[in-house]
Amino acid sequence: MNSYSNNSKCVIAVDAMGGDFAPNNAVIGALDAYETSDFELLLVGSKEEIEKVIAEHKRDFDESKIIHTSEIISMSESPTNAFKTKKDSSIVVGARLVKEGKADAFVSAGNTGAMSVASILGMGRIKGVARPALTAPLPNGKGGFTFVSDVGAFVDSKPKHLLSYALLSSLFIEEVYGIKNPKVGLLNVGEEEEKGYQLTTDTAKLLADSTLNFYGNVEGKDIFKGTVDLVVCDGFVGNILLKFAESIIPFLKSTFKNYADESFINKLKIGLIKAPLKDALKSANYENHGGLPLLGVNGISIIGHGSSSILAIKNMVLQAKKMYNNELIEKIINTLSKYGK
C-alpha cells in the first residue's frame, strides 16, 4: 500500500514544474485527468505556485497531496549533473516517490534527459533490460499506428540494446494498444538483408533468432504505410525521425494559411475542408497521446513534450493509469524472466 493512499488505488505523481507552461498546464492537466478517472494524484513542486494555480482556476485539491520541492531542473541543464546536484527538484523527487513505493507512476513534461536519468537511476532498471527505450506512436495509412523505438532515450546503441527495445515495445503495444503478436521491422536503408551497416546486420540476426514476430528490414516509407506494427532503430535516428514527424502538422497548417491568404476564393476553399481535415489528422496530434513511456525502468515513467498543452498533460496521466491497469511493469518482468534475459 502506498503511504499517501488510503487504499490500493493507483497513485500517480505529476511534475507540476515540468514544461514550458508550468505550473499552469501541468497542474490543470493533471486535475482534469484526476476528475475523470479513478486514481490518487500527487502534485510535485513548489507548494506556493501549485496552490496559486489551483486558486486561480477555482479548483479543489487536497493540499496534503502536494509534495513540496524547492528546486527546478531547467530545460537546458545537464541531466546527469542536475540529478546529482538537485536532489530536491520536482523530477528527482517524483522518481524517488516511485522508487519508495509511494507512487505507481511519474509523469513529467520537463527536461527529457533529466527525466530519463532520474527514472533510470532513481527507479532503477528492470532486471534483464539492456537499456530502457522511449517508444512513440506515429499514425499510418491503415488507420492505426506504427510504433517507433527508440526515439531518443539514448543516442548510441548496440545490437543487444535494439533487441531490448523490440522486446519492451512489443509487450507495451500488445498490452496497452491490444495489437497481438506485433510485427517488428528493423529500420534500414533498404529491405534486402545485406543492406545497412554493422549495427543493423548484427541486430537483424538477433531479432531473427528471438521469439519476436520479426518481419525484416523496413524503410522510412514503411512507417506511414503501416507495413509493420513496430519499427526498431538507434535512438539518434529515432529522435530525428520523431521530430521530423512532429513538424508535419505545423508545416501543413502554415502551408494552408499561406494558400488562404492569397485570395478570398482560397479562404473559402480552405474553410470548406478545415473541419474534415482536422478530424482526419486527429490521430497525428501528439496532444491526443500525451507523452512517451520510458520502457524498462522499474516503474511507470511518462515523458512529455516541453510545450505540452493542458490536454497533452491530461492524456499523459491517463496513459500512466492505463499502463497501471494493464499491469505492464509486472508483465515486462515476467516476460523477461521467461525469455532468459
Side-chain angles (χ1 to χ4, degrees):
M1 183 181 297
N2 296 295
S3 62
Y4 288 95
S5 175
N6 296 319
N7 49 45
S8 58
K9 277 186 181 180
C10 170
V11 179
I12 300 175
V14 175
D15 176 12
M17 314 312 291
D20 299 336
F21 306 105
N24 185 79
N25 287 11
V27 171
I28 300 306
L31 290 177
D32 284 351
Y34 179 58
E35 292 168 2
T36 60
S37 188
D38 186 27
F39 66 92
E40 293 203 18
L41 174 65
L42 301 177
L43 294 175
V44 185
S46 167
K47 187 174 183 180
E48 181 181 353
E49 292 192 45
I50 293 171
E51 289 182 336
K52 183 179 178 181
V53 171
I54 292 173
E56 287 176 348
H57 289 266
K58 296 180 172 59
R59 306 291 281 267
D60 292 320
F61 189 68
D62 183 352
E63 67 174 21
S64 69
K65 301 296 178 67
I66 298 174
I67 312 303
H68 177 70
T69 60
S70 60
E71 297 176 303
I72 298 173
I73 297 176
S74 71
M75 291 296 193
S76 60
E77 287 187 71
S78 164
T80 304
N81 288 341
F83 176 77
K84 291 178 179 178
T85 61
K86 292 191 171 181
K87 298 297 184 182
D88 198 42
S89 63
S90 53
I91 286 179
V92 174
V93 171
R96 190 188 307 145
L97 289 171
V98 176
K99 174 69 173 179
E100 295 174 348
K102 296 174 181 177
D104 300 293
F106 181 45
V107 171
S108 176
N111 184 310
T112 299
M115 182 63 173
S116 297
V117 169
S119 297
I120 294 168
L121 299 182
M123 298 180 191
R125 290 183 298 172
I126 292 173
K127 183 180 179 181
V129 173
R131 267 190 185 174
L134 280 172
T135 302
L138 296 180
N140 62 40
K142 295 182 177 180
F145 298 99
T146 300
F147 294 81
V148 180
S149 185
D150 174 44
V151 293
F154 294 92
V155 294
D156 63 324
S157 304
K158 296 179 181 178
K160 66 178 181 180
H161 299 143
L162 269 68
L163 174 62
S164 182
Y165 304 158
L167 287 167
L168 294 168
S169 302
S170 291
L171 187 60
F172 166 67
I173 63 179
E174 183 165 341
E175 294 297 336
V176 177
Y177 286 84
I179 301 172
K180 300 302 179 183
N181 195 27
K183 192 183 297 182
V184 180
L186 177 63
L187 189 63
N188 207 330
V189 294
E191 297 176 357
E192 300 83 2
E193 289 185 11
E194 66 274 10
K195 286 292 182 72
Y197 60 122
Q198 196 71 42
L199 176 63
T200 54
T201 54
D202 289 350
T203 301
K205 293 174 184 176
L206 291 180
L207 291 172
D209 291 339
S210 73
T211 57
L212 296 167
N213 183 12
F214 183 49
Y215 173 85
N217 290 332
V218 294
E219 300 177 22
K221 64 182 180 182
D222 291 301
I223 294 173
F224 288 130
K225 285 174 63 177
T227 303
V228 295
D229 301 302
L230 170 65
V231 172
V232 180
C233 61
D234 175 85
F236 181 85
V237 174
N239 189 260
I240 293 172
L241 182 65
L242 176 65
K243 289 176 179 176
F244 173 77
E246 289 176 342
S247 72
I248 293 175
I249 297 299
F251 167 73
L252 290 175
K253 286 181 178 179
S254 63
T255 300
F256 292 143
K257 182 182 183 302
N258 292 338
Y259 178 78
D261 289 343
E262 290 178 0
S263 70
F264 178 71
I265 296 298
N266 286 1
K267 278 187 173 63
L268 292 177
K269 291 178 181 178
I270 293 297
L272 290 173
I273 66 168
K274 186 175 181 179
L277 187 63
K278 185 177 180 180
D279 287 340
L281 295 174
K282 188 176 181 181
S283 64
N285 187 349
Y286 82 92
E287 292 181 331
N288 296 314
H289 308 289
L292 307 180
L294 182 64
L295 302 173
V297 294
N298 200 14
I300 297 170
S301 173
I302 306 291
I303 302 176
H305 201 287
S307 61
S308 289
S309 64
I310 289 173
L311 176 61
I313 298 290
K314 174 184 176 181
N315 285 325
M316 286 168 64
V317 176
L318 294 178
Q319 183 185 28
K321 177 63 163 49
K322 188 173 183 180
M323 290 172 65
Y324 173 85
N325 289 346
N326 286 313
E327 301 178 336
L328 184 67
I329 303 302
E330 292 82 356
K331 288 175 181 176
I332 289 175
I333 292 171
N334 292 335
T335 297
L336 290 179
S337 65
K338 292 176 183 176
Y339 197 81
K341 287 296 187 180

